[in-house]
Amino acid sequence: MTLNASAQKVQNILRDRGFPCEVVELADSTRSAKEAAQAVGCELGQIVKSLVFRTLESSRAVLVVASGPNRVDEALISALLGEGIGKADADFVRERSGYVIGGVPPLGHASPMVTFIDEDLLQYPEVWAAAGTPHAVFCLKPADLPVMTGGQVVKIHA
Ligand code: 5CA
């Protein structure tokens, strides 16, 4: 099966970095965590959301890799960064990550992003993340997320 160019790019990065993950393109939308869970047939908590924030002073891109139902407590992340953050807009997400909203993968971005990983993801044997488009996902072991992203496992909500 031929993958969409962005999905193929993610598949190539996974392969080149030695992760045995297969990118799957689905007819159904995987744009939101809820849609992705329905399309894959897993628990919402097993969906890896890749949420991009922007630091208010230095305009750094910050990636929070969060479990499906969780809301990021911006104050907790700001405290870790020593700087306030806000939600990034769609243009900033696209420019810094190289992908459209709903398809942002946890790795392989246009520019490096400071990354935090939701500790709640680690309770699952496997989880599913976006793979470059709002119709593409891949399955991974959450224990691979720190290596994949260079991120730190933290508590992201109260
Ligand atoms: N493919 C699924 C999971 S596999 C996915 O990418 N989910 S997500 O949660 O990481 O991406 C959707 C997120 O993008 C939403 O939770 C929301 O935080 C963000 N988002 C949606 N619309 C906008 C927008 N207009 N501007 C900025 N962020 C947005």
Side-chain angles (χ1 to χ4, degrees):
M1 267 271 284
T2 309
L3 292 172
N4 163 285
S6 284
Q8 185 64 54
K9 184 167 130 186
V10 175
Q11 179 67 85
N12 293 347
I13 292 164
L14 286 165
R15 190 198 53 221
D16 292 349
R17 292 193 47 198
F19 296 106
C21 302
E22 188 195 352
V23 171
V24 183
E25 264 187 314
L26 300 163
D28 289 341
S29 170
T30 58
R31 183 180 303 274
S32 69
K34 196 173 162 211
E35 285 174 325
Q38 277 165 359
V40 168
C42 68
E43 273 181 48
L44 185 56
Q46 288 175 278
I47 297 299
V48 177
K49 298 193 287 189
S50 298
L51 304 172
V52 181
F53 294 84
R54 178 177 190 157
T55 60
L56 299 179
E57 284 150 41
S58 56
S59 276
R60 281 178 289 164
V62 177
L63 179 70
V64 180
V65 174
S67 173
N70 289 350
R71 219 188 125 77
V72 176
D73 182 337
E74 295 183 8
L76 285 180
I77 302 299
S78 295
L80 292 167
L81 289 164
E83 186 177 353
I85 59 166
K87 209 66 190 288
D89 68 25
D91 287 342
F92 186 84
V93 172
R94 183 163 196 152
E95 182 192 310
R96 298 297 182 95
S97 77
Y99 303 91
V100 295
I101 281 171
V104 179
L107 79 175
H109 305 128
S111 50
M113 297 193 217
V114 183
T115 301
F116 298 103
I117 300 159
D118 181 357
E119 63 179 10
D120 288 354
L121 286 166
L122 298 181
Q123 66 188 288
Y124 300 103
E126 51 187 34
V127 293
W128 293 82
T133 85
H135 286 272
V137 288
F138 68 95
C139 186
L140 68 149
K141 290 191 175 51
D144 282 340
L145 278 169
V147 182
M148 215 174 248
T149 66
Q152 186 188 345
V153 177
V154 298
K155 194 171 161 60
I156 65 148
H157 65 110

